[in-house]
Amino acid sequence: MFWRVLFFVACLLAGGSAGWFAALRSGIAATEWEGLAVGILFGGLVWFLIDWSRASRVLRWLRAGDVSEVAISTGLWGEVSARTRRLVLGRERQLRDSQNRLQDFLLAFQASPNGVMLLDAQGSIEWFNETAATHFGLDAQRDMLQHIGNLVREPGFVRYFAGHDYRDELLMPGRENTSARPVRLSVHLYPYGRGRLLLLSRDVTALEQADAMRRDFVANVSHEIRTPLTVLSGFVETLQTCALTEPERERYLALMAQQADRMQILVSDLLTLSRLEGSPPPGLSDWIAVPALMQQIEQDARALSAALNPAAQRVHALVFDYQAGGEIAGAGNELFSAMSNLVGNAIRYTPAGGDIVVRWLPLSDGRAEFSVTDTGPGIAPEHLPRLTERFYRVDHSRSRDTGGTGLGLAIVKHVAQRHGAELGIQSTPGKGSVFSIIFPAGRCRAQQLPAIS
Ligand code: ADP
């Protein structure tokens, strides 16, 4: 300001003194005082023109809006443009910062495994992430700013949205829901700000399926236990109330023992399954000799075949085919349980006299295949995908009659998975079945390595 006043005064002084001397020298009919006054006026005019041109430059600069450089660097107008520039740059930085922060928030919402949608006070969609787009079948280009009620027409959701009571979540079918592939969503609306709504959606299909499986499982177990229990308590009542002959008593007691055995096998299979699910997979450090395993399985198999066919002339023709020296890394008790389950099934479902071949075959790529081939009734193709489900049975009565629990193949599947192996089932109705477990190369070796001394 000081320099501005100084420049103004200097202009007046310069103009005044120029007017004074001009009047003095020219000798025209004006006095020095008139020359001084005209000079001062002229000086003021010059100052005004210079100032006006500087102000115009600042104004043009402001209008152009390009603040990369100042319009003028000196004087009052210089300071005005410098301060304006600093202010604008500061605001631009603030705007950039808040835009970046908004982008970060949106990216975080985008990364969320849940669907996120923002609705304005009228219920129009302001923003949604990709998961929400998948859940509700939305398109980011087409559906932004549309009213949610026009896009999500599921009656349950329409009622929930219109009801304005958002304390609880809503369970509804997802956009891609079909009877073959159900999709269930949990949707929850949360009011925020001035009448706005945050919508969170979660795919709960797997959770609901697990819940249904758990319910089915409990129902199945209860049913399986209730049947022998009912029989048992019936016999107990008979023993308590009726006068029985000794042979009758013995027959009843034998039947009771049979039912108790059935329950025991069921509980033992259930415990095996829960142990398999709850423990870490077997490591690669314990090597089990295949011949010893096969001998043990063979012993049990021959005993089972004889026990199931006490009156038969011929039991099953059992062939065990394996070479000496094979080893497998894993849990011995699990492998025994899985393999003897397959052999047991072949014996239980193949009528007496049928052929059963149990084979351990090292494959050329280092893997090894355990297989059980029988000449039993075979299994129709529609049952094959469900055979490893718990309590799934093709032939209920034969399964029960031979002490089956419906859990055998579920155990086999678990053991195979835990050993990185594949369970294969091939079957032709009327001809027989082949159940195989192919173990990975990393778990098989041909001969025991010599110990390092
Ligand atoms: P279960 O204890 O009833 O044998 P599994 O899980 O071992 O239960 O087997 C499931 C069903 O698969 C059996 O109920 C039976 O119907 C069928 N199955 C299993 N193995 C054979 C086989 N070798 N031959 C024919 N059917 C079989």
Side-chain angles (χ1 to χ4, degrees):
M1 201 62 189
F2 169 75
W3 293 108
R4 183 177 171 80
V5 173
L6 193 72
F7 181 61
F8 179 65
V9 172
C11 281
L12 295 186
L13 280 177
S17 34
W20 175 280
F21 284 112
L24 205 67
R25 288 248 185 98
S26 63
I28 48 174
T31 66
E32 294 85 352
W33 291 108
E34 282 169 340
L36 179 73
V38 171
I40 286 173
L41 270 178
F42 186 74
L45 185 68
V46 168
W47 177 88
F48 173 74
L49 285 176
I50 291 173
D51 195 60
W52 185 70
S53 107
R54 284 164 62 84
S56 303
R57 266 174 69 187
V58 172
L59 204 64
R60 270 201 308 278
W61 173 77
L62 281 176
R63 280 190 190 130
D66 177 12
V67 292
S68 52
E69 277 177 34
V70 285
I72 298 172
S73 55
T74 56
L76 181 82
W77 292 114
E79 191 175 338
V80 166
S81 62
R83 283 185 185 280
T84 308
R85 178 172 178 266
R86 221 173 302 146
L87 211 66
V88 170
L89 289 180
R91 286 282 146 83
E92 277 183 352
R93 205 174 313 120
Q94 271 179 2
L95 194 68
R96 253 197 324 272
D97 284 352
S98 43
Q99 270 173 347
N100 286 344
R101 227 168 303 142
L102 179 68
Q103 273 307 316
D104 287 346
F105 276 127
L106 293 182
L107 283 175
F109 282 148
Q110 197 62 272
S112 158
N114 295 336
V116 181
M117 197 186 292
L118 304 177
L119 305 175
D120 68 11
Q122 280 69 46
S124 300
I125 300 175
E126 287 192 317
W127 187 87
F128 54 82
N129 67 358
E130 275 173 33
T131 315
T134 315
H135 285 170
F136 298 103
L138 302 179
D139 182 296
Q141 304 292 320
R142 190 192 56 203
D143 298 331
M144 221 48 108
L145 300 178
Q146 297 280 330
H147 193 274
I148 183 83
N150 296 335
L151 300 171
V152 184
R153 290 165 177 270
E154 166 61 29
F157 179 80
V158 174
R159 267 196 308 278
Y160 177 66
F161 182 68
H164 297 285
D165 179 5
Y166 307 134
R167 281 170 298 177
D168 298 324
E169 62 180 3
L170 166 80
L171 287 174
M172 60 176 267
R175 176 73 174 199
E176 286 164 3
N177 179 60
T178 58
S179 53
R181 232 181 63 90
V183 180
R184 298 282 296 163
L185 295 180
S186 150
V187 177
H188 207 156
L189 282 165
Y190 297 92
Y192 76 100
R194 276 191 230 132
R196 289 165 180 272
L197 289 170
L198 167 71
L199 183 151
L200 294 183
S201 58
R202 212 157 36 99
D203 189 332
V204 290
T205 315
L207 270 178
E208 289 214 336
Q209 276 171 350
D211 214 34
M213 268 170 68
R214 189 186 53 75
R215 276 196 306 272
D216 285 355
F217 184 68
V218 172
N220 275 324
V221 171
S222 314
H223 175 76
E224 293 290 331
I225 289 186
R226 198 180 53 191
T227 314
L229 256 184
T230 314
V231 179
L232 255 180
S233 57
F235 283 135
V236 169
E237 209 179 305
T238 312
L239 285 173
Q240 282 171 334
T241 53
C242 302
L244 300 170
T245 60
E246 193 52 32
E248 274 174 341
R249 235 174 65 86
E250 267 173 25
R251 200 162 60 85
Y252 284 168
L253 283 173
L255 288 170
M256 286 167 73
Q258 201 184 7
Q259 297 303 323
D261 281 352
R262 217 178 117 183
M263 283 198 288
Q264 218 159 22
I265 295 171
L266 176 69
V267 171
S268 141
D269 275 3
L270 285 171
L271 284 175
T272 305
L273 260 181
S274 91
R275 252 198 312 273
L276 289 176
E277 281 174 345
S279 58
L284 292 165
S285 52
D286 292 336
W287 288 90
I288 292 116
V290 172
L293 200 59
M294 293 291 265
Q295 276 160 22
Q296 212 182 340
I297 295 169
E298 183 171 357
Q299 233 172 33
D300 287 6
R302 292 197 187 282
L304 178 67
S305 173
L308 285 177
N309 307 292
Q313 299 269 314
R314 235 156 47 90
V315 286
H316 297 101
L318 282 167
V319 175
F320 277 74
D321 177 12
Y322 54 92
Q323 286 162 5
E327 285 189 317
I328 175 158
N333 56 344
E334 290 183 23
L335 292 169
F336 175 76
S337 166
M339 292 170 168
S340 57
N341 244 308
L342 292 185
V343 177
N345 277 356
I347 292 170
R348 284 165 46 230
Y349 294 105
T350 306
D355 297 331
I356 294 168
V357 180
V358 182
R359 186 171 283 129
W360 177 270
L361 185 67
L363 303 177
S364 55
D365 56 6
R367 296 182 302 162
E369 180 182 18
F370 172 81
S371 65
V372 182
T373 309
D374 65 48
T375 53
I379 304 159
E382 66 267 22
H383 295 293
L384 295 182
R386 301 196 57 191
L387 279 191
T388 54
E389 283 176 25
R390 292 158 190 206
F391 298 112
Y392 189 83
R393 293 170 170 115
V394 180
D395 183 345
H396 280 256
S397 59
R398 179 113 184 98
S399 166
R400 290 225 172 81
D401 292 350
T402 56
T405 57
L407 295 174
L409 289 180
I411 293 175
V412 175
K413 190 177 109 182
H414 266 287
V415 172
Q417 276 174 348
R418 285 162 61 78
H419 286 79
E422 286 166 43
L423 170 66
I425 307 174
Q426 285 162 19
S427 194
T428 315
K431 287 205 165 150
S433 316
V434 184
F435 286 78
S436 62
I437 308 177
I438 299 182
F439 292 95
R443 285 194 179 269
C444 307
R445 65 185 185 196
Q447 269 181 326
Q448 198 171 359
L449 294 174
I452 302 164
S453 53

